[in-house]
């Protein structure tokens, strides 16, 4: 099957152990922000990606592809009701879930600075140019762990689809870069295994947008791998966490 052949070639001797770890349940942590509020369970690697944005109270923050909402919870907890958070997702069904998570898991004061929107992410760079201090782009991706555990998706997986997704991710990342204010910080993340959706997307934007540079994430989880552009957390080395890739970029000031 194409999926197994592709990743076997990509990861070599590491693939059998990685494959087994991907079949496991993962490593979720509980996010709870007060008495009487619903807890939310999020992979520890996803928490790391959101925390790596370095949000501070008062920041103007965009979560460009926010549903189902776990990373928005992390961002909101850093704002603590000061600044603004735009949690965006273009899917109406996914926005319903996103709104439920935010309304039921966050204190009212923190929710007061959050707006839920349904724009196409590729439009932000045009209509909200240089409007945000910090942007999280958790891009739609191959979701390989989910594919592996869903026979109907595994059957239709293809390298062509990975390449097509990488093009879409590049468009979203270009939009995020253009929407980022000078001096701002951006996290690009996926839950994909292939470099085509990770480092390769970042390298292309660095060539196209010379105002952007990589900002190394100094402290990374035990077992995480450093890549050319970012950090890749894979469950075989990181005690079940991931897969999550993230790269941090900053825009030069004016």
């Amino acid at each position: 099957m194409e999926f197994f052949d592709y990743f076997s070639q990509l990861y070599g001797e590491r693939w059998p152990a990685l494959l087994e770890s991907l079949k496991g349940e993962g490593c979720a942590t509980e996010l709870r922000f007060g008495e009487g509020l619903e807890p939310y369970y999020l992979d520890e690697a996803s928490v790391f990606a959101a925390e790596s944005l370095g949000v501070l109270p008062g920041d103007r923050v965009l979560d460009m592809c926010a549903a189902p909402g776990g990373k928005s919870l992390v961002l909101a907890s850093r704002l603590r009701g000061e600044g603004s958070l735009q949690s965006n997702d273009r899917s109406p069904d996914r926005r319903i879930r996103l709104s439920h998570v935010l309304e039921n898991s966050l204190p009212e004061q923190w929710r007061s600075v959050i707006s839920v929107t349904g724009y196409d992410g590729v439009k932000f760079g045009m209509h909200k140019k240089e409007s945000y201090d910090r942007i999280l782009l958790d891009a739609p991706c191959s979701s390989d762990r989910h594919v592996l555990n869903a026979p109907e998706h595994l059957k239709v997986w293809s390298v062509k689809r990975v390449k097509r997704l990488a093009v879409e991710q590049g468009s979203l990342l270009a939009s995020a870069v253009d929407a980022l204010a000078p001096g701002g910080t951006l996290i690009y993340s996926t839950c994909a295994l292939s470099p085509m959706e990770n480092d390769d997307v970042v390298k292309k934007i660095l060539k196209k947008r010379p105002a952007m540079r990589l900002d190394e994430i100094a402290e990374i989880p035990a077992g995480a791998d450093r890549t050319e552009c970012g950090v890749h957390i894979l469950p075989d080395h990181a005690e079940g966490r991931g897969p999550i890739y993230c790269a941090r970029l900053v825009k030069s000031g004016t």
Side-chain angles (χ1 to χ4, degrees):
M1 191 175 293
E2 191 175 4
F3 179 93
F4 298 102
D5 290 342
Y6 175 75
F7 287 113
S8 178
Q9 291 180 15
L10 189 63
Y11 283 95
E13 294 181 356
R14 183 176 179 179
W15 176 240
L18 178 55
L19 176 60
E20 283 305 307
S21 68
L22 289 166
K23 295 176 182 177
E25 293 185 358
C27 188
T29 188
E30 181 184 272
L31 302 178
R32 187 185 291 272
F33 301 108
E35 290 290 331
L37 296 173
E38 287 185 4
Y40 189 92
Y41 297 91
L42 185 64
D43 189 295
E44 291 178 3
S46 295
V47 175
F48 169 79
E51 289 279 6
S52 296
L53 188 56
V55 168
L56 297 171
D59 283 340
R60 300 167 297 168
V61 184
L62 170 64
D63 190 351
M64 186 179 278
C65 303
K71 292 185 180 71
S72 275
L73 294 180
V74 176
L75 302 179
S77 73
R78 294 293 297 264
L79 285 175
R80 307 192 72 81
E82 298 179 32
S84 63
L85 171 59
Q86 184 172 350
S87 294
N88 182 77
D89 202 281
R90 68 179 183 180
S91 165
D93 290 339
R94 287 170 62 82
R95 274 199 312 280
I96 292 172
R97 169 66 174 152
L98 171 63
S99 296
H100 174 88
V101 167
L102 297 175
E103 290 168 7
N104 290 278
S105 296
L106 290 174
E108 184 176 355
Q109 180 189 353
W110 295 4
R111 296 199 310 269
S112 66
V113 301
I114 301 174
S115 60
V116 175
T117 57
Y119 302 117
D120 184 344
V122 299
K123 303 292 180 63
F124 276 92
M126 183 185 305
H127 299 296
K128 300 287 285 184
K129 192 173 180 65
E130 298 189 341
S131 296
Y132 303 93
D133 302 307
R134 301 186 192 267
I135 297 176
L136 173 63
L137 171 55
D138 184 30
C141 69
S142 293
S143 302
D144 298 303
R145 189 170 198 165
H146 174 71
V147 167
L148 179 63
N149 292 290
E152 67 276 16
H153 296 303
L154 186 60
K155 190 180 297 183
V156 298
W157 185 95
S158 69
V159 176
K160 285 184 179 180
R161 182 172 182 270
V162 173
K163 292 178 179 178
R164 186 173 70 250
L165 281 166
V167 172
E168 295 174 5
Q169 291 155 354
S171 297
L172 286 166
L173 184 53
S175 174
V177 165
D178 293 344
L180 188 67
T185 301
L186 184 155
I187 288 285
Y188 171 75
S189 70
T190 79
C191 56
L193 296 175
S194 173
M196 277 196 286
E197 298 183 59
N198 296 332
D199 271 2
D200 291 356
V201 175
V202 175
K203 285 189 281 189
K204 286 177 183 177
I205 201 65
L206 291 172
K207 290 181 179 179
K208 292 179 179 178
R209 299 291 194 276
M212 301 302 295
R213 64 173 176 83
L214 292 173
D215 184 30
E216 183 179 278
I217 301 171
E219 296 184 13
I220 64 176
D225 299 301
R226 289 198 183 274
T227 68
E228 186 177 347
C229 297
V231 177
H232 209 185
I233 304 170
L234 295 170
D236 61 326
H237 287 179
E239 299 181 341
R241 301 177 186 89
I244 285 289
Y245 169 87
C246 62
R248 186 165 64 198
L249 302 91
V250 295
K251 179 181 277 191
S252 60
T254 53

